[in-house]
Amino acid sequence: MSVSTASVRPEFVREPEPLPQGISVAVPLSWHERLFRHALVRKGLILVLLAIVWEAGARYAGNDLLLPGALQTGRAFIDGIATGELTRRAALSLSVLLKGYLAGIVLAFVLTTLAVSTRFGRDLLSTLTSMFNPLPAIALLPLSMLWFGLGQGSLVFVLIHSVLWALAVNMYSGFLSVSETLRMAGRNYGLTGLRYVLAILVPAALPAIMSGLKIAWAFAWRTLIAAELVFGASSGQGGLGWYIFQNRNELYTDRVFAGLVAVVIIGLLVENLVFELLERVTVRRWGMQR
């Protein structure tokens, strides 16, 4: 069946109508604007700016013993990495931290599970957090050294204390904020005890749990460095805290600052890589956090 030429409509070109007033056309971003959209670039520029201010302040002070510059500290940091001493101390600190951190997470989960399951558990968690949460973990170091000796057990004990109460408070607050609809859905499916906590409460309270994990990490990291300053002086060995203490005694101020820089860098890496990745694959992916 053929189509006649008379039935074919002629082609024409139509000019687009002008946009109404008040409507703007999106302009492609320039390369530097696209670059600044990345948080890593913005934070890197902030660090560079702080290093410049630090170097300027050190040059103005003119006393390397009191305040070494950023460049001098950078050289000491590179030397510590090259000799392996700084990396060895950092690895030792992180290994001890991991033990205390994981043990604190397990104990916090046990306490909060007991608190949402029984009235006695709620009273127990409330009483213990009121008693021990205001107590600085470093204040327990003399007792822990008396009980556990001059070993890693003393450090792990104070780390558990620094992690446990901060995480338990955030985790329990997250459990309390779970909507009654989700709670009823879990009960309708016959979930009780540990299954109810894992299937209903933990996923719903995950933003609060992630916040508690970050707070507990910060408490544990600074507690460990402070404890190693005392622990290292007592036992002759330790991690980054002992590295800082030893170089302070020998008046190597640039190495002291290099140790402090290592503490800061590890904190930034854990915060911006580990926890950022966990949040991206959990709460942000599930639409629970922006």
Side-chain angles (χ1 to χ4, degrees), residues 1-8:
M1 182 176 179
S2 62
V3 180
S4 62
T5 57
S7 63
V8 179

Side-chain angles (χ1 to χ4, degrees), residues 1-2 19 22 28 67 71-72 85 89 93-94 102 131 217:
M1 182 176 179
S2 62
L19 292 173
L67 181 62
L71 295 177
Q72 184 179 355
E85 183 179 8
R89 300 292 186 182
S93 293
L94 290 175
L102 293 179
M131 290 172 55
W217 147 256

Side-chain angles (χ1 to χ4, degrees), residues 152-169:
Q152 290 188 2
S154 300
L155 294 177
V156 171
F157 177 78
V158 296
L159 287 176
I160 291 174
H161 174 81
S162 63
V163 170
L164 174 57
W165 311 116
L167 180 56
V169 168

Side-chain angles (χ1 to χ4, degrees), residues 156-185:
V156 171
F157 177 78
V158 296
L159 287 176
I160 291 174
H161 174 81
S162 63
V163 170
L164 174 57
W165 311 116
L167 180 56
V169 168
N170 279 269
M171 190 178 295
Y172 186 63
S173 299
F175 287 168
L176 293 181
S177 65
V178 177
S179 66
E180 192 62 30
T181 303
L182 288 175
R183 295 175 182 272
M184 292 174 61

Side-chain angles (χ1 to χ4, degrees), residues 41-238:
V41 175
R42 297 195 302 269
K43 293 179 180 179
L45 290 177
I46 293 175
L47 294 178
V48 171
L49 179 61
L50 291 175
I52 292 174
V53 173
W54 176 9
E55 182 67 25
R59 290 179 183 272
Y60 178 78
N63 191 335
D64 294 341
L65 182 62
L66 295 180
L67 181 62
L71 295 177
Q72 184 179 355
T73 301
R75 288 191 293 268
F77 182 82
I78 294 174
D79 290 341
I81 297 294
T83 58
E85 183 179 8
L86 197 57
T87 54
R88 185 171 61 253
R89 300 292 186 182
L92 180 59
S93 293
L94 290 175
S95 65
V96 176
L97 177 70
L98 190 60
K99 296 176 184 177
Y101 190 67
L102 293 179
I105 291 175
V106 172
L107 290 176
F109 179 77
V110 171
L111 277 178
T112 50
T113 301
L114 186 63
V116 297
S117 302
T118 64
R119 182 177 299 175
F120 172 76
R122 289 194 296 272
D123 295 338
L124 178 64
L125 180 62
S126 176
T127 304
L128 292 180
T129 52
S130 299
M131 290 172 55
F132 295 115
N133 197 27
L135 182 64
I138 195 65
L140 296 176
L141 185 60
L143 286 177
S144 66
M145 295 175 68
L146 180 64
W147 293 340
F148 301 102
L150 301 179
Q152 290 188 2
S154 300
L155 294 177
V156 171
F157 177 78
V158 296
L159 287 176
I160 291 174
H161 174 81
S162 63
V163 170
L164 174 57
W165 311 116
L167 180 56
V169 168
N170 279 269
M171 190 178 295
Y172 186 63
S173 299
F175 287 168
L176 293 181
S177 65
V178 177
S179 66
E180 192 62 30
T181 303
L182 288 175
R183 295 175 182 272
M184 292 174 61
R187 296 190 192 101
N188 290 337
Y189 277 102
L191 299 177
T192 57
L194 185 60
R195 292 179 59 203
Y196 173 74
V197 173
L198 292 176
I200 301 297
L201 297 184
V202 170
L206 201 55
I209 295 174
M210 291 298 301
S211 177
L213 288 173
K214 289 195 288 187
I215 294 173
W217 147 256
F219 283 0
W221 186 227
R222 69 187 187 187
T223 298
L224 175 64
I225 299 303
E228 283 181 341
L229 289 172
V230 179
F231 177 78
S234 301
S235 65
Q237 59 182 355

Side-chain angles (χ1 to χ4, degrees), residues 65 76 80 83 85-86 89 229 239-260:
L65 182 62
T83 58
E85 183 179 8
L86 197 57
R89 300 292 186 182
L229 289 172
L240 282 174
W242 169 240
Y243 178 85
I244 294 170
F245 182 85
Q246 186 181 33
N247 285 287
R248 194 270 299 177
N249 286 340
E250 298 175 1
L251 296 180
Y252 291 127
T253 315
D254 54 345
R255 296 183 184 177
V256 172
F257 275 83
L260 295 175

